[in-house]
Amino acid sequence: MKKKIFKTYILILQLGITMISSIVIGLIIGLCIKHFFKLDIIIIFLLFGIISGFINSYKLIKSTHDLGKSSISKSLGSVKSEMEDKFK
């Protein structure tokens, strides 16, 4: 039980870091372009950062969910084979 809670906390931490880092990177790129090229397009790169943060968070959640499914199916498969061996 504690292991599952710990894994959930780690997933939440990874999601937060993914979102924040994507937004900060988009903001830094926008600020650099504004500084070097005198173009005021910070908002566009900030939006790119937000969108990439959501996409990466979705991929992280999906991969974690798929791993959970595969581990459940593996454990069910091993239980099934153990039950078949017992009743032979």
Coordinates of all heavy atoms in Angstrom, one line a residue:
M1 N 0.8 -1.2 0.0 CA 0.0 0.0 0.0 C 0.9 1.3 0.0 O 0.6 2.2 -0.8 CB -0.9 -0.1 1.2 CG -1.9 1.1 1.3 SD -3.1 1.0 0.1 CE -4.1 2.4 0.5
K2 N 1.9 1.3 0.9 CA 2.8 2.4 0.9 C 3.5 2.6 -0.4 O 3.8 3.7 -0.8 CB 3.7 2.3 2.1 CG 3.1 2.5 3.4 CD 4.1 2.5 4.5 CE 3.4 2.6 5.9 NZ 4.4 2.7 7.0
K3 N 3.9 1.5 -1.0 CA 4.6 1.6 -2.3 C 3.8 2.2 -3.4 O 4.3 3.0 -4.2 CB 5.0 0.1 -2.7 CG 6.0 0.1 -3.8 CD 6.4 -1.3 -4.1 CE 7.5 -1.4 -5.1 NZ 8.0 -2.7 -5.4
K4 N 2.5 1.9 -3.4 CA 1.6 2.5 -4.4 C 1.4 4.0 -4.1 O 1.4 4.8 -5.1 CB 0.2 1.8 -4.3 CG -0.7 2.2 -5.4 CD -2.0 1.4 -5.4 CE -2.9 1.8 -6.5 NZ -4.1 1.0 -6.6
I5 N 1.3 4.4 -2.9 CA 1.2 5.8 -2.6 C 2.5 6.5 -3.0 O 2.5 7.6 -3.5 CB 0.9 6.0 -1.1 CG1 -0.5 5.5 -0.8 CG2 1.0 7.5 -0.7 CD1 -0.8 5.5 0.7
F6 N 3.6 5.9 -2.7 CA 4.9 6.5 -3.1 C 5.0 6.7 -4.6 O 5.5 7.7 -5.1 CB 6.0 5.6 -2.5 CG 7.4 6.2 -2.7 CD1 7.8 7.3 -2.0 CD2 8.3 5.6 -3.6 CE1 9.1 7.9 -2.2 CE2 9.6 6.2 -3.8 CZ 9.9 7.3 -3.1
K7 N 4.6 5.7 -5.3 CA 4.7 5.8 -6.8 C 3.7 6.9 -7.3 O 4.1 7.6 -8.3 CB 4.3 4.5 -7.4 CG 5.3 3.4 -7.3 CD 4.9 2.1 -8.1 CE 6.0 1.1 -8.0 NZ 5.7 -0.1 -8.8
T8 N 2.6 7.1 -6.6 CA 1.7 8.1 -7.0 C 2.3 9.5 -6.8 O 2.2 10.4 -7.6 CB 0.4 8.0 -6.2 OG1 -0.2 6.7 -6.5 CG2 -0.6 9.1 -6.7
Y9 N 3.0 9.7 -5.6 CA 3.6 10.9 -5.3 C 4.7 11.2 -6.3 O 4.9 12.4 -6.8 CB 4.2 10.9 -3.9 CG 3.2 11.1 -2.8 CD1 3.4 10.4 -1.6 CD2 2.1 11.9 -3.0 CE1 2.4 10.5 -0.6 CE2 1.1 12.0 -2.0 CZ 1.3 11.3 -0.8 OH 0.4 11.5 0.2
I10 N 5.5 10.2 -6.7 CA 6.5 10.4 -7.7 C 6.0 10.8 -9.1 O 6.5 11.7 -9.7 CB 7.4 9.1 -7.9 CG1 8.2 8.9 -6.6 CG2 8.3 9.1 -9.1 CD1 9.0 7.6 -6.6
L11 N 4.8 10.2 -9.5 CA 4.2 10.6 -10.7 C 3.7 12.0 -10.7 O 3.9 12.8 -11.6 CB 3.0 9.7 -11.0 CG 2.2 10.0 -12.3 CD1 3.0 9.8 -13.5 CD2 1.0 9.1 -12.3
I12 N 3.1 12.5 -9.6 CA 2.7 13.9 -9.4 C 3.9 14.8 -9.5 O 3.8 15.8 -10.2 CB 1.9 14.0 -8.1 CG1 0.6 13.3 -8.2 CG2 1.7 15.5 -7.8 CD1 -0.2 13.2 -6.9
L13 N 5.0 14.4 -8.9 CA 6.2 15.3 -8.9 C 6.8 15.3 -10.3 O 7.1 16.4 -10.8 CB 7.3 14.7 -8.0 CG 8.6 15.4 -7.9 CD1 8.4 16.8 -7.3 CD2 9.6 14.6 -7.0
Q14 N 6.8 14.2 -11.0 CA 7.2 14.2 -12.4 C 6.4 15.1 -13.3 O 6.9 15.8 -14.2 CB 7.3 12.8 -13.0 CG 8.4 12.0 -12.5 CD 8.4 10.6 -13.0 OE1 7.3 10.0 -13.4 NE2 9.5 9.9 -13.1
L15 N 5.0 15.0 -13.1 CA 4.1 15.9 -13.9 C 4.4 17.3 -13.6 O 4.4 18.1 -14.6 CB 2.7 15.5 -13.6 CG 2.2 14.2 -14.0 CD1 0.8 13.9 -13.5 CD2 2.2 14.1 -15.5
G16 N 4.6 17.7 -12.4 CA 4.9 19.1 -12.1 C 6.2 19.6 -12.7 O 6.2 20.7 -13.2
I17 N 7.2 18.8 -12.6 CA 8.5 19.2 -13.1 C 8.4 19.3 -14.7 O 9.0 20.2 -15.3 CB 9.6 18.1 -12.7 CG1 9.9 18.3 -11.2 CG2 10.9 18.3 -13.5 CD1 10.8 17.2 -10.7
T18 N 7.7 18.3 -15.3 CA 7.5 18.4 -16.7 C 6.8 19.7 -17.2 O 7.2 20.3 -18.1 CB 6.7 17.2 -17.2 OG1 7.4 16.0 -16.9 CG2 6.5 17.2 -18.7
M19 N 5.7 20.0 -16.5 CA 5.0 21.2 -16.9 C 5.8 22.5 -16.7 O 5.9 23.3 -17.5 CB 3.7 21.3 -16.0 CG 2.6 20.4 -16.5 SD 2.0 20.7 -18.1 CE 1.3 22.3 -17.9
I20 N 6.4 22.6 -15.5 CA 7.2 23.8 -15.2 C 8.4 24.0 -16.1 O 8.7 25.1 -16.6 CB 7.7 23.8 -13.7 CG1 6.4 24.0 -12.8 CG2 8.7 24.9 -13.4 CD1 6.7 23.8 -11.3
S21 N 9.1 22.9 -16.4 CA 10.3 23.0 -17.2 C 9.9 23.3 -18.7 O 10.6 24.1 -19.3 CB 11.1 21.7 -17.2 OG 10.4 20.6 -17.7
S22 N 8.9 22.8 -19.2 CA 8.4 23.1 -20.5 C 8.0 24.6 -20.6 O 8.4 25.3 -21.6 CB 7.2 22.2 -20.9 OG 7.6 20.9 -21.0
I23 N 7.3 25.1 -19.7 CA 6.9 26.5 -19.7 C 8.1 27.4 -19.5 O 8.2 28.4 -20.3 CB 5.9 26.7 -18.6 CG1 4.6 26.0 -18.9 CG2 5.6 28.2 -18.4 CD1 3.6 26.0 -17.7
V24 N 9.0 27.1 -18.7 CA 10.2 27.9 -18.5 C 11.1 27.9 -19.7 O 11.6 29.0 -20.1 CB 11.0 27.5 -17.2 CG1 12.4 28.1 -17.2 CG2 10.2 27.8 -16.0
I25 N 11.2 26.8 -20.4 CA 12.0 26.7 -21.6 C 11.4 27.6 -22.7 O 12.1 28.3 -23.4 CB 12.3 25.3 -22.0 CG1 13.2 24.6 -21.1 CG2 12.8 25.2 -23.5 CD1 13.4 23.1 -21.3
G26 N 10.1 27.5 -22.8 CA 9.4 28.3 -23.8 C 9.5 29.8 -23.5 O 9.7 30.6 -24.4
L27 N 9.4 30.1 -22.3 CA 9.6 31.5 -21.9 C 11.0 32.0 -22.2 O 11.2 33.2 -22.7 CB 9.2 31.7 -20.4 CG 9.3 33.1 -19.9 CD1 8.2 34.0 -20.5 CD2 9.0 33.1 -18.4
I28 N 12.0 31.2 -21.9 CA 13.4 31.6 -22.1 C 13.7 31.8 -23.6 O 14.3 32.8 -24.0 CB 14.4 30.6 -21.4 CG1 14.3 30.7 -19.9 CG2 15.8 30.8 -22.0 CD1 15.1 29.6 -19.2
I29 N 13.2 30.9 -24.4 CA 13.3 31.1 -25.8 C 12.7 32.3 -26.3 O 13.3 33.1 -27.1 CB 12.8 29.8 -26.6 CG1 13.7 28.6 -26.3 CG2 12.7 30.1 -28.1 CD1 13.1 27.3 -26.8
G30 N 11.5 32.6 -25.8 CA 10.8 33.9 -26.2 C 11.6 35.1 -25.8 O 11.7 36.1 -26.5
L31 N 12.1 35.1 -24.6 CA 12.9 36.2 -24.1 C 14.2 36.4 -24.9 O 14.6 37.5 -25.2 CB 13.2 36.1 -22.6 CG 12.0 36.3 -21.7 CD1 12.5 35.9 -20.2 CD2 11.6 37.7 -21.7
C32 N 14.8 35.3 -25.3 CA 16.1 35.4 -26.1 C 15.7 36.0 -27.5 O 16.5 36.8 -28.0 CB 16.7 34.0 -26.2 SG 17.5 33.4 -24.7
I33 N 14.7 35.5 -28.1 CA 14.3 36.1 -29.4 C 14.0 37.6 -29.3 O 14.3 38.4 -30.1 CB 13.1 35.3 -30.0 CG1 13.7 33.9 -30.4 CG2 12.5 36.0 -31.2 CD1 12.6 33.0 -30.9
K34 N 13.3 37.9 -28.2 CA 12.9 39.3 -28.0 C 14.2 40.2 -27.8 O 14.4 41.3 -28.4 CB 12.1 39.5 -26.8 CG 11.7 41.0 -26.5 CD 10.9 41.1 -25.3 CE 10.6 42.6 -25.0 NZ 9.8 42.8 -23.8
H35 N 15.2 39.6 -27.1 CA 16.4 40.4 -26.8 C 17.3 40.5 -28.1 O 17.8 41.6 -28.4 CB 17.2 39.7 -25.7 CG 18.5 40.3 -25.4 ND1 18.6 41.5 -24.8 CD2 19.8 39.9 -25.7 CE1 19.9 41.9 -24.7 NE2 20.6 40.9 -25.2
F36 N 17.5 39.4 -28.8 CA 18.4 39.4 -30.0 C 17.7 40.0 -31.3 O 18.4 40.7 -32.0 CB 18.9 38.0 -30.3 CG 19.9 37.5 -29.2 CD1 19.6 36.4 -28.5 CD2 21.1 38.2 -29.0 CE1 20.5 36.0 -27.5 CE2 22.0 37.8 -28.0 CZ 21.6 36.6 -27.3
F37 N 16.5 39.7 -31.5 CA 15.9 40.1 -32.8 C 14.9 41.3 -32.6 O 14.2 41.7 -33.6 CB 15.2 38.9 -33.4 CG 16.1 37.8 -33.8 CD1 16.0 36.6 -33.1 CD2 17.1 38.0 -34.7 CE1 16.9 35.6 -33.4 CE2 18.0 37.0 -35.1 CZ 17.9 35.8 -34.4
K38 N 14.7 41.7 -31.4 CA 13.7 42.8 -31.1 C 12.3 42.5 -31.5 O 11.6 43.4 -32.0 CB 14.2 44.2 -31.7 CG 15.6 44.6 -31.4 CD 15.8 44.9 -29.9 CE 17.2 45.4 -29.7 NZ 17.8 44.9 -28.5
L39 N 11.9 41.3 -31.5 CA 10.6 40.9 -31.8 C 9.9 40.5 -30.5 O 10.4 39.8 -29.7 CB 10.6 39.6 -32.7 CG 11.2 39.8 -34.1 CD1 11.3 38.5 -34.8 CD2 10.4 40.8 -34.9
D40 N 8.6 41.0 -30.4 CA 7.9 40.8 -29.2 C 6.9 39.6 -29.3 O 5.7 39.8 -29.5 CB 7.1 42.1 -28.8 CG 6.6 42.0 -27.4 OD1 7.2 41.3 -26.6 OD2 5.7 42.8 -27.1
I41 N 7.5 38.4 -29.3 CA 6.7 37.2 -29.5 C 6.9 36.2 -28.3 O 6.8 35.0 -28.5 CB 7.0 36.5 -30.8 CG1 8.5 36.2 -31.0 CG2 6.5 37.3 -32.0 CD1 8.8 35.3 -32.2
I42 N 7.0 36.8 -27.1 CA 7.2 36.0 -25.9 C 5.9 35.1 -25.7 O 6.0 33.9 -25.4 CB 7.4 36.8 -24.7 CG1 8.7 37.6 -24.9 CG2 7.5 36.0 -23.5 CD1 8.9 38.6 -23.8
I43 N 4.8 35.7 -25.9 CA 3.5 34.9 -25.7 C 3.4 33.7 -26.5 O 2.9 32.6 -26.1 CB 2.3 35.9 -25.9 CG1 2.3 37.1 -25.0 CG2 1.0 35.1 -25.8 CD1 2.2 36.8 -23.6
I44 N 3.8 33.8 -27.8 CA 3.8 32.6 -28.7 C 4.6 31.5 -28.1 O 4.2 30.3 -28.1 CB 4.2 33.0 -30.1 CG1 3.2 34.0 -30.7 CG2 4.4 31.7 -31.0 CD1 3.6 34.6 -32.0
F45 N 5.8 31.7 -27.7 CA 6.7 30.7 -27.2 C 6.3 30.2 -25.8 O 6.5 29.1 -25.5 CB 8.2 31.2 -27.2 CG 8.8 31.1 -28.6 CD1 8.8 32.2 -29.4 CD2 9.3 29.9 -29.1 CE1 9.3 32.2 -30.7 CE2 9.8 29.9 -30.4 CZ 9.8 31.0 -31.2
L46 N 5.7 31.1 -25.1 CA 5.1 30.7 -23.8 C 3.9 29.7 -24.0 O 3.8 28.7 -23.4 CB 4.6 31.9 -23.0 CG 4.0 31.6 -21.6 CD1 5.1 31.0 -20.7 CD2 3.5 32.9 -21.0
L47 N 3.1 30.0 -25.0 CA 2.0 29.0 -25.4 C 2.6 27.7 -25.9 O 2.1 26.6 -25.6 CB 1.1 29.7 -26.4 CG 0.2 30.8 -25.9 CD1 -0.6 31.4 -27.0 CD2 -0.7 30.3 -24.8
F48 N 3.7 27.8 -26.7 CA 4.3 26.5 -27.1 C 4.8 25.7 -25.9 O 4.7 24.5 -25.9 CB 5.5 26.8 -28.1 CG 5.1 27.2 -29.5 CD1 6.0 28.0 -30.2 CD2 3.9 26.8 -30.0 CE1 5.6 28.3 -31.5 CE2 3.6 27.1 -31.3 CZ 4.4 27.9 -32.1
G49 N 5.4 26.4 -25.0 CA 5.8 25.7 -23.7 C 4.7 25.1 -23.0 O 4.8 23.9 -22.5
I50 N 3.6 25.8 -22.9 CA 2.4 25.2 -22.2 C 1.9 24.0 -22.9 O 1.6 23.0 -22.3 CB 1.3 26.3 -22.0 CG1 1.8 27.4 -21.0 CG2 0.0 25.7 -21.5 CD1 1.0 28.6 -21.0
I51 N 1.8 24.1 -24.2 CA 1.2 23.0 -25.0 C 2.2 21.8 -25.0 O 1.7 20.7 -24.8 CB 1.0 23.5 -26.5 CG1 -0.1 24.5 -26.6 CG2 0.8 22.3 -27.4 CD1 -0.3 25.2 -27.9
S52 N 3.5 22.0 -25.0 CA 4.4 20.9 -25.0 C 4.4 20.3 -23.6 O 4.6 19.1 -23.4 CB 5.8 21.3 -25.3 OG 6.4 22.2 -24.4
G53 N 4.2 21.1 -22.6 CA 4.0 20.6 -21.2 C 2.8 19.6 -21.1 O 2.9 18.6 -20.5
F54 N 1.7 20.0 -21.6 CA 0.5 19.2 -21.6 C 0.8 17.9 -22.4 O 0.4 16.8 -22.0 CB -0.7 19.9 -22.1 CG -1.4 20.8 -21.1 CD1 -1.4 22.1 -21.3 CD2 -1.9 20.2 -20.0 CE1 -2.0 23.0 -20.3 CE2 -2.5 21.0 -19.0 CZ -2.6 22.4 -19.2
I55 N 1.4 18.0 -23.6 CA 1.6 16.8 -24.4 C 2.6 15.8 -23.7 O 2.3 14.6 -23.6 CB 2.2 17.2 -25.8 CG1 1.2 17.9 -26.6 CG2 2.8 16.0 -26.5 CD1 1.7 18.6 -27.9
N56 N 3.7 16.4 -23.1 CA 4.6 15.5 -22.4 C 3.9 14.9 -21.1 O 4.2 13.7 -20.8 CB 5.8 16.3 -22.0 CG 6.7 16.6 -23.2 OD1 6.7 15.8 -24.2 ND2 7.4 17.7 -23.1
S57 N 3.1 15.6 -20.5 CA 2.4 15.1 -19.3 C 1.4 14.0 -19.7 O 1.3 13.0 -19.0 CB 1.6 16.2 -18.6 OG 2.5 17.2 -18.1
Y58 N 0.7 14.2 -20.8 CA -0.1 13.1 -21.3 C 0.6 11.9 -21.7 O 0.2 10.8 -21.3 CB -0.9 13.6 -22.6 CG -1.7 12.6 -23.3 CD1 -2.9 12.2 -22.7 CD2 -1.3 12.0 -24.4 CE1 -3.7 11.2 -23.3 CE2 -2.0 11.0 -25.0 CZ -3.2 10.6 -24.5 OH -3.9 9.6 -25.1
K59 N 1.8 12.0 -22.3 CA 2.6 10.9 -22.7 C 3.1 10.2 -21.4 O 3.1 8.9 -21.4 CB 3.8 11.3 -23.5 CG 3.4 11.7 -24.9 CD 4.7 12.1 -25.7 CE 4.4 12.5 -27.1 NZ 5.6 13.0 -27.8
L60 N 3.5 10.9 -20.4 CA 3.9 10.3 -19.1 C 2.8 9.5 -18.4 O 3.0 8.4 -18.0 CB 4.5 11.4 -18.2 CG 5.0 11.0 -16.8 CD1 6.2 10.1 -17.0 CD2 5.3 12.2 -16.0
I61 N 1.6 10.1 -18.4 CA 0.5 9.4 -17.8 C 0.1 8.2 -18.6 O -0.1 7.1 -18.0 CB -0.7 10.4 -17.7 CG1 -0.4 11.5 -16.6 CG2 -2.0 9.6 -17.3 CD1 -1.4 12.6 -16.6
K62 N 0.1 8.3 -19.9 CA -0.2 7.1 -20.7 C 0.8 6.0 -20.5 O 0.4 4.9 -20.4 CB -0.3 7.6 -22.2 CG -0.8 6.5 -23.1 CD -1.0 6.9 -24.5 CE -1.5 5.8 -25.3 NZ -1.2 5.8 -26.7
S63 N 2.1 6.4 -20.5 CA 3.1 5.3 -20.4 C 3.0 4.7 -19.0 O 3.2 3.4 -18.8 CB 4.5 5.9 -20.6 OG 4.9 6.8 -19.6
T64 N 2.7 5.4 -18.0 CA 2.6 4.9 -16.6 C 1.3 4.0 -16.6 O 1.4 2.9 -16.0 CB 2.4 6.0 -15.6 OG1 3.6 6.9 -15.7 CG2 2.4 5.5 -14.2
H65 N 0.3 4.4 -17.2 CA -1.0 3.6 -17.2 C -0.8 2.3 -18.0 O -1.2 1.3 -17.6 CB -2.1 4.4 -17.9 CG -3.4 3.7 -17.9 ND1 -4.1 3.4 -16.7 CD2 -4.1 3.2 -18.9 CE1 -5.2 2.8 -17.1 NE2 -5.3 2.6 -18.4
D66 N 0.0 2.4 -19.1 CA 0.2 1.2 -19.9 C 1.1 0.2 -19.1 O 1.0 -1.0 -19.2 CB 0.9 1.5 -21.2 CG -0.1 2.2 -22.2 OD1 -1.3 2.2 -21.9 OD2 0.4 2.8 -23.1
L67 N 2.1 0.7 -18.4 CA 3.0 -0.1 -17.6 C 2.1 -0.8 -16.5 O 2.4 -2.0 -16.2 CB 4.1 0.7 -16.9 CG 5.2 1.1 -17.8 CD1 6.2 2.0 -17.0 CD2 6.0 -0.1 -18.4
G68 N 1.2 -0.1 -15.9 CA 0.3 -0.7 -14.9 C -0.5 -1.8 -15.4 O -0.7 -2.8 -14.8
K69 N -1.0 -1.6 -16.7 CA -1.8 -2.6 -17.3 C -1.0 -3.9 -17.6 O -1.4 -5.0 -17.3 CB -2.4 -2.1 -18.6 CG -3.6 -1.3 -18.5 CD -4.2 -1.0 -19.9 CE -5.5 -0.3 -19.8 NZ -6.0 0.0 -21.1
S70 N 0.3 -3.7 -18.1 CA 1.1 -4.8 -18.4 C 1.5 -5.6 -17.1 O 1.6 -6.8 -17.1 CB 2.3 -4.4 -19.2 OG 3.2 -3.6 -18.4
S71 N 1.8 -4.9 -16.0 CA 2.2 -5.6 -14.8 C 1.0 -6.3 -14.2 O 1.1 -7.4 -13.7 CB 2.7 -4.6 -13.8 OG 1.8 -3.7 -13.4
I72 N -0.2 -5.8 -14.4 CA -1.4 -6.5 -13.9 C -1.7 -7.7 -14.7 O -1.9 -8.8 -14.2 CB -2.7 -5.5 -13.9 CG1 -2.5 -4.5 -12.8 CG2 -3.9 -6.3 -13.7 CD1 -3.6 -3.4 -12.9
S73 N -1.5 -7.6 -16.0 CA -1.8 -8.8 -16.9 C -0.7 -9.8 -16.6 O -1.0 -11.0 -16.7 CB -1.8 -8.4 -18.3 OG -0.6 -7.9 -18.8
K74 N 0.5 -9.4 -16.4 CA 1.6 -10.4 -16.0 C 1.3 -11.1 -14.7 O 1.4 -12.3 -14.6 CB 2.9 -9.7 -16.0 CG 3.5 -9.4 -17.3 CD 4.9 -8.7 -17.1 CE 5.4 -8.2 -18.4 NZ 6.7 -7.5 -18.3
S75 N 0.8 -10.3 -13.7 CA 0.6 -11.0 -12.4 C -0.7 -11.9 -12.5 O -0.7 -12.9 -11.9 CB 0.4 -9.9 -11.3 OG -0.8 -9.1 -11.6
L76 N -1.7 -11.5 -13.3 CA -2.8 -12.3 -13.5 C -2.5 -13.6 -14.3 O -3.0 -14.7 -14.0 CB -3.9 -11.6 -14.2 CG -4.7 -10.5 -13.4 CD1 -5.7 -9.8 -14.4 CD2 -5.4 -11.1 -12.3
G77 N -1.6 -13.5 -15.2 CA -1.1 -14.6 -16.0 C -0.4 -15.6 -15.1 O -0.5 -16.8 -15.2
S78 N 0.5 -15.1 -14.2 CA 1.2 -16.0 -13.3 C 0.3 -16.6 -12.3 O 0.4 -17.8 -12.0 CB 2.3 -15.2 -12.5 OG 1.7 -14.2 -11.7
V79 N -0.8 -15.9 -11.8 CA -1.7 -16.5 -10.9 C -2.5 -17.6 -11.6 O -2.8 -18.7 -11.1 CB -2.7 -15.4 -10.3 CG1 -3.9 -16.0 -9.6 CG2 -1.9 -14.5 -9.4
K80 N -2.9 -17.3 -12.9 CA -3.6 -18.3 -13.6 C -2.8 -19.6 -13.8 O -3.3 -20.7 -13.7 CB -4.0 -17.7 -15.0 CG -4.9 -18.7 -15.8 CD -5.2 -18.0 -17.2 CE -5.9 -19.0 -18.1 NZ -6.2 -18.4 -19.4
S81 N -1.5 -19.4 -14.2 CA -0.7 -20.6 -14.4 C -0.5 -21.4 -13.1 O -0.5 -22.6 -13.1 CB 0.6 -20.2 -15.0 OG 1.4 -19.4 -14.1
E82 N -0.4 -20.7 -11.9 CA -0.3 -21.3 -10.7 C -1.5 -22.1 -10.3 O -1.5 -23.2 -9.8 CB 0.0 -20.3 -9.6 CG 1.4 -19.8 -9.6 CD 1.6 -18.7 -8.5 OE1 0.8 -18.6 -7.6 OE2 2.6 -18.0 -8.6
M83 N -2.7 -21.5 -10.6 CA -4.0 -22.2 -10.3 C -4.1 -23.4 -11.2 O -4.6 -24.5 -10.8 CB -5.1 -21.3 -10.5 CG -5.2 -20.1 -9.6 SD -5.3 -20.6 -7.9 CE -7.1 -21.1 -7.8
E84 N -3.7 -23.3 -12.5 CA -3.8 -24.5 -13.4 C -2.9 -25.6 -12.9 O -3.2 -26.8 -13.0 CB -3.4 -24.1 -14.8 CG -4.5 -23.2 -15.5 CD -4.0 -22.7 -16.8 OE1 -2.8 -22.8 -17.2 OE2 -4.9 -22.1 -17.6
D85 N -1.7 -25.3 -12.4 CA -0.8 -26.3 -11.9 C -1.3 -26.9 -10.7 O -1.1 -28.2 -10.5 CB 0.6 -25.6 -11.6 CG 1.3 -25.2 -12.8 OD1 1.0 -25.7 -13.9 OD2 2.3 -24.4 -12.7
K86 N -2.0 -26.2 -9.8 CA -2.5 -26.8 -8.6 C -3.7 -27.8 -8.8 O -3.8 -28.8 -8.1 CB -3.1 -25.7 -7.6 CG -2.0 -24.9 -6.9 CD -2.6 -23.9 -6.0 CE -1.5 -23.2 -5.3 NZ -2.0 -22.2 -4.3
F87 N -4.5 -27.5 -9.8 CA -5.7 -28.3 -10.1 C -5.4 -29.4 -11.1 O -6.4 -30.1 -11.5 CB -6.8 -27.4 -10.5 CG -7.3 -26.6 -9.3 CD1 -7.2 -25.2 -9.4 CD2 -7.9 -27.2 -8.2 CE1 -7.6 -24.4 -8.3 CE2 -8.4 -26.4 -7.2 CZ -8.2 -25.1 -7.2
K88 N -4.2 -29.6 -11.5 CA -3.9 -30.7 -12.5 C -3.8 -32.0 -11.8 O -3.6 -32.3 -10.7 CB -2.6 -30.4 -13.3 CG -2.9 -29.4 -14.4 CD -1.6 -29.3 -15.2 CE -1.9 -28.3 -16.3 NZ -0.7 -28.2 -17.2

